[in-house]
Every structure is written in structure tokens, then in C-alpha cells.
């Protein structure tokens, strides 16, 4: 049995980024293959479904990755570093274009879990995703980012606090309230 | 008392559910969560919600949104351009964000050097044919000074003035190699021939 896989596929992200710092295009290709789709979806959801802007930010992230690869410390986690770049790009975009930074009413007081329906196994994905996007756009971008980094990217609370440069307690609080709020808002989909 | 205990359990279970994924739960965590979920519909619903969110937000389940092909191409092109920035230009680029690769800067300096050389050479040709404008003015001034300080010369004809002017110019051009001849000319001029 011969191993047909390229050796680069088995290399860690941290090793690859070191090679990107030395302008290794193969290493960049591999990192791009691993992260481009995830980054695009993160941007897409953070920007309320604006795909063209999400593609632009993905391009900008790639350029920053190439430019700043030499600043990456090997003792850190690459995905945390990469999503820090992505998160900061999103914040810059929000600052530049306020239309994406929807104001959020405080949902913490409303008890959205008065009824506790079970989720239907056959959720209409399109409708659910449309509604989820709509609800995500309506909440504060920091809460939105915490939510996506946790449930889309599966980062730990500690990693999210590093990415967003805020205390872990703040991340926990944002995550809890956003999850409760969204699960309450989307509970109607049990009947679909 | 029991309500208080239930609330504590909820906080603990919600922390576990929100902070870590199921793969990271210990056996004790799993047992604790399972027992709590039997009694707490709120936490059960939260856990179900999270699993739906994780499933629905997974990028792999939405293949319709894909990165555009040109993004990768542009990034690779950018990387190759960066790779060409070697030596001092590379350092300058890192420090100041300069985008000019070393070889382009070298070509630009070479073109500038050649242009300046050509201009100087052209000026040199003019100088060998006659004399530069500034020196011409200077010699003419010398001629006028001579005219002013020599009263008998003031009455001389224009031809005479030109002869003097030309002799001054000739002297300046030949000064280095024909010093003796110039001295002879000076003596001839002094004798008024």
C-alpha cells in the first residue's frame, strides 16, 4: 500500500504558516483549502448575507495572511490567529459601513423559553437559515461573532476571548444570552 | 431549597454545554448532564438548539456559497510578487510597506544615471565647440572691464573689441596646454599691434 497523499496535507497549520512566511505557494494552497470556505461563511453570516463583501474580505484576509505570516508565533494556535484577523476585518467594515451594524435591543429580560418545544428533525433548511440570518443581522455584531465562532468554528471560550480581545466572562455571557435569544426566536420551526 | 439546587445545576450544565463540545465532556460531566436533562426541559431545549445551530452553521452543509476562484489566484500572485522583494528592498517593504521590488528600483536608478550622463555629455559637446553661456558672459564682462579701465581702448572700433574678446576666450580655452603661446599673445596685445 502506497501513500498517495502529498506530505503537505499531513502538516499542521502552524508548520504551514511558517512556510507561507517564506513565500511557499504550496503551503498557502493547503491553508487556503482548509480555511477559505470557513472564513467565507463566517464573513457571509457576519455581514448579513452580503456575499460580494464576504468575498472581498476573504481576499483581504488572504493578503494579510501572506503579509503577516512572519508575525505568527508558533506557540499560538493558527486558527485563533487567523480568525482574529477575520474578526478585526469585520469590525473595520462595520465601522466603515454602519448599515451592517444593526443595533440590538436587550433581549436578556424576555423569557423566550416559556415553552420548550422539541426541534423537528425535518427542519426546512432554507427557511431556517434565512430566518437565522435575519435574526443574526438583528443582534449586536460582537454577540454575533461570539455565536459564530463558537457554533460554526467550534472555538473554545478561551480562544474566542483571545480573538475578540475581551474577558472570558464577557464571552460566556454574550454566548449564553445570544443562544437563548436565538433558540427562542427560532422555536417556531418545530412545526415545519 | 430544591429550586435553588436546580438553578445551580442549570448553571453548571449550561456552562458545560456552552463552553465545550460533547467530545470534550468527561464521563462525570456526561452523567451529570444526562441526569439533569431528564428533569430540566429548559436545558434540554438549549442543548437541542445548540446541536441544530452547529449542524446548520456547518459550512459543508451549504456548498452554494463558495470562494471565488480569482481570490486564490490573486493571493498566489501577490505572494510571488512578495517573493521577488529580496535584500534591502524586502526589509524596506517590511519596515515601511514599500511595494517596489529591488530589481525595479535598480532599473529605475540605472535609467536615471544614463539620462544624467547623456545630458552632461551633450553639455560637454557644446562646451568643446565653443563655450558655456555663463563663461561667455563672464569673458564678455572681462572685456568690458578692460574697456572701462583702459581709456585709449574705449575709442577703438567694434572689430577691435571683438578681437580682444576672442583673445580672452582663446586664452581661457588654451590656458592649460599652451601657457607660453598665451603669454606671447598677451605680450603682442600689450604692445598694441
Amino acid at each position: 500500500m502506497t501513500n498517495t497523499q502529498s506530505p503537505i496535507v499531513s502538516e499542521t497549520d502552524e508548520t504551514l504558516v511558517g512556510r507561507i512566511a517564506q513565500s511557499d505557494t504550496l503551503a498557502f494552497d493547503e491553508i487556503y483549502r482548509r480555511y477559505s470556505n470557513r472564513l467565507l461563511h463566517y464573513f457571509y453570516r457576519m455581514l448579513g448575507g452580503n456575499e460580494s463583501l464576504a468575498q472581498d474580505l476573504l481576499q483581504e484576509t488572504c493578503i494579510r495572511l501572506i503579509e503577516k505570516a512572519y508575525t505568527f508565533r508558533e506557540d499560538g494556535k493558527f486558527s485563533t490567529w487567523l480568525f482574529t484577523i477575520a474578526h478585526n476585518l469585520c469590525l473595520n467594515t462595520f465601522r466603515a459601513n454602519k448599515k451592517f451594524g444593526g443595533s440590538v435591543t436587550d433581549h436578556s429580560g424576555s423569557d423566550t423559553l416559556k415553552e420548550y418545544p422539541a426541534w423537528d428533525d425535518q427542519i426546512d433548511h432554507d427557511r431556517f437559515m434565512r430566518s437565522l440570518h435575519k435574526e443574526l443581522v438583528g443582534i449586536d455584531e460582537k454577540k454575533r461573532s461570539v455565536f459564530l465562532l463558537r457554533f460554526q468554528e467550534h472555538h473554545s471560550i478561551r480562544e474566542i476571548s483571545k480573538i475578540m480581545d475581551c474577558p472570558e466572562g464577557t464571552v460566556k455571557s454574550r454566548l449564553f444570552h445570544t443562544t437563548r435569544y436565538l433558540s427562542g426566536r427560532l422555536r417556531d420551526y418545530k412545526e415545519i | 431549597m430544591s429550586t435553588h439546587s436546580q438553578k445551580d445545576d442549570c448553571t453548571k450544565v449550561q456552562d458545560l454545554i456552552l463552553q465545550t463540545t460533547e467530545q470534550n465532556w468527561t464521563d462525570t460531566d456526561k452523567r451529570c448532564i444526562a441526569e439533569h436533562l431528564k428533569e430540566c426541559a429548559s436545558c434540554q431545549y438549549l442543548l437541542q438548539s445548540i446541536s441544530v445551530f452547529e449542524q446548520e452553521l456547518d459550512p459543508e452543509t451549504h456548498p452554494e456559497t463558495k470562494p471565488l476562484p480569482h481570490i486564490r489566484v490573486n493571493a498566489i500572485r501577490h505572494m510571488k510578487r512578495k517573493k521577488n522583494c529580496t535584500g534591502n528592498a524586502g526589509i524596506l517593504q517590511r519596515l515601511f510597506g514599500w511595494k517596489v521590488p529591488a530589481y525595479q528600483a535598480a532599473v529605475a536608478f540605472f535609467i536615471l544615471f544614463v539620462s544624467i550622463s547623456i545630458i552632461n555629455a551633450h553639455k560637454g559637446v557644446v562646451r568643446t565647440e565653443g563655450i558655456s553661456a555663463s563663461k561667455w558672459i563672464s569673458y564678455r564682462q572681462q572685456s568690458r572691464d578692460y574697456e572701462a579701465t583702459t581709456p585709449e581702448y574705449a575709442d577703438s572700433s567694434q572689430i577691435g573689441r571683438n578681437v580682444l574678446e576672442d583673445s580672452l576666450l582663446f586664452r581661457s580655452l588654451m590656458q592649460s596646454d599652451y601657457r607660453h603661446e598665451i603669454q606671447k599673445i598677451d605680450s603682442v596685445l600689450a604692445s598694441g599691434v
Side-chain angles (χ1 to χ4, degrees):
Chain A
M1 292 287 284
T2 54
N3 186 6
T4 54
Q5 278 191 330
S6 165
I8 206 163
V9 178
S10 57
E11 287 195 23
T12 62
D13 295 344
E14 288 73 22
T15 314
L16 291 173
V17 76
R19 288 173 59 174
I20 291 173
Q22 293 168 3
S23 301
D24 185 336
T25 51
L26 287 175
F28 175 78
D29 258 345
E30 179 59 21
I31 286 287
Y32 185 82
R33 190 186 64 77
R34 291 180 194 178
Y35 285 96
S36 59
N37 207 25
R38 290 169 58 180
L39 282 167
L40 181 67
H41 278 81
Y42 173 73
F43 288 131
Y44 182 73
R45 284 161 184 159
M46 279 298 286
L47 301 169
N50 186 336
E51 191 178 345
S52 62
L53 191 53
Q55 299 276 8
D56 286 348
L57 289 192
L58 174 63
Q59 173 83 80
E60 187 58 33
T61 310
C62 290
I63 300 296
R64 288 200 186 185
L65 164 64
I66 292 165
E67 290 290 328
K68 303 288 178 188
Y70 71 95
T71 65
F72 175 73
R73 291 185 195 168
E74 283 188 15
D75 55 341
K77 192 177 173 187
F78 174 73
S79 64
T80 308
W81 182 79
L82 186 65
F83 274 91
T84 305
I85 294 174
H87 175 71
N88 289 335
L89 279 173
C90 277
L91 291 187
N92 291 345
T93 308
F94 290 135
R95 280 190 209 112
N97 193 353
K98 290 286 181 188
K99 73 177 178 181
F100 293 115
S103 63
V104 186
T105 52
D106 187 10
H107 305 289
S108 56
S110 62
D111 187 1
T112 53
L113 295 175
K114 279 181 181 170
E115 295 173 22
Y116 309 113
W119 288 92
D120 196 295
D121 289 338
Q122 299 299 317
I123 289 175
D124 180 339
H125 293 266
D126 288 343
R127 280 189 63 194
F128 178 81
M129 284 310 295
R130 268 200 300 274
S131 303
L132 181 58
H133 276 155
K134 196 178 160 191
E135 294 297 337
L136 278 173
V137 171
I139 63 173
D140 178 64
E141 62 256 20
K142 287 175 184 169
K143 288 181 178 174
R144 197 185 317 157
S145 189
V146 167
F147 182 80
L148 291 174
L149 289 169
R150 177 68 190 85
F151 297 125
Q152 181 187 300
E153 295 306 320
H154 308 290
H155 285 293
S156 68
I157 299 290
R158 181 171 292 181
E159 286 166 357
I160 297 170
S161 77
K162 277 186 185 173
I163 290 170
M164 300 187 71
D165 194 23
C166 66
E168 287 182 34
T170 309
V171 175
K172 278 184 202 173
S173 166
R174 283 175 184 163
L175 185 62
F176 179 71
H177 288 298
T178 309
T179 311
R180 271 174 65 96
Y181 170 70
L182 287 176
S183 59
R185 295 286 292 176
L186 298 167
R187 71 176 183 274
D188 294 341
Y189 287 86
K190 76 184 181 73
E191 291 169 5
I192 295 167
Chain B
M1 186 75 181
S2 72
T3 314
H4 185 69
S5 171
Q6 173 83 10
K7 199 175 177 182
D8 283 349
D9 284 349
C10 279
T11 310
K12 189 182 172 186
V13 167
Q14 283 168 1
D15 270 358
L16 279 171
I17 291 170
L18 288 169
Q19 289 181 41
T20 52
T21 52
E22 200 171 336
Q23 292 81 17
N24 297 327
W25 293 343
T26 62
D27 288 340
T28 318
D29 291 338
K30 282 178 186 171
R31 213 167 27 248
C32 174
I33 290 166
E35 280 176 16
H36 180 75
L37 291 181
K38 281 178 194 169
E39 299 166 357
C40 182
S42 172
C43 289
Q44 200 177 347
Y45 182 67
L46 188 67
L47 183 63
Q48 284 175 335
S49 309
I50 288 168
S51 69
V52 169
F53 289 142
E54 284 183 329
Q55 184 191 334
E56 290 299 315
L57 290 172
D58 185 0
E60 298 303 319
T61 60
H62 300 279
E64 68 280 358
T65 309
K66 281 184 177 175
L68 295 172
H70 78 265
I71 292 175
R72 185 190 148 277
V73 175
N74 286 348
I76 295 278
R77 198 176 291 156
H78 180 83
M79 184 179 252
K80 284 180 178 169
R81 268 204 305 269
K82 188 172 171 277
K83 197 176 181 179
N84 289 331
C85 297
T86 53
N88 291 334
I91 293 165
L92 290 172
Q93 187 182 2
R94 280 188 180 186
L95 289 175
F96 305 112
W98 288 10
K99 303 289 182 191
V100 183
Y103 73 91
Q104 287 180 9
V107 168
F109 277 117
F110 178 74
I111 291 168
L112 190 66
F113 176 76
V114 168
S115 306
I116 290 169
S117 302
I118 290 169
I119 291 166
N120 280 340
H122 182 65
K123 277 183 181 174
V125 168
V126 171
R127 203 159 38 233
T128 53
E129 281 175 351
I131 196 146
S132 69
S134 59
K135 282 193 176 177
W136 182 272
I137 291 164
S138 167
Y139 298 140
R140 178 158 288 177
Q141 189 59 45
Q142 282 181 43
S143 170
R144 282 177 187 160
D145 289 347
Y146 185 83
E147 185 182 328
T149 53
T150 316
E152 61 274 21
Y153 186 73
D155 298 329
S156 63
S157 65
Q158 183 61 41
I159 296 169
R161 288 177 198 168
N162 290 346
V163 167
L164 177 64
E165 203 166 271
D166 288 346
S167 71
L168 287 167
L169 293 171
F170 182 75
R171 186 173 62 175
S172 73
L173 290 169
M174 299 295 177
Q175 204 162 17
S176 56
D177 298 326
Y178 301 101
R179 187 174 295 278
H180 298 294
E181 281 78 356
I182 289 167
Q183 282 172 354
K184 283 179 190 171
I185 292 167
D186 279 345
S187 63
V188 170
L189 284 170
S191 65
V193 177

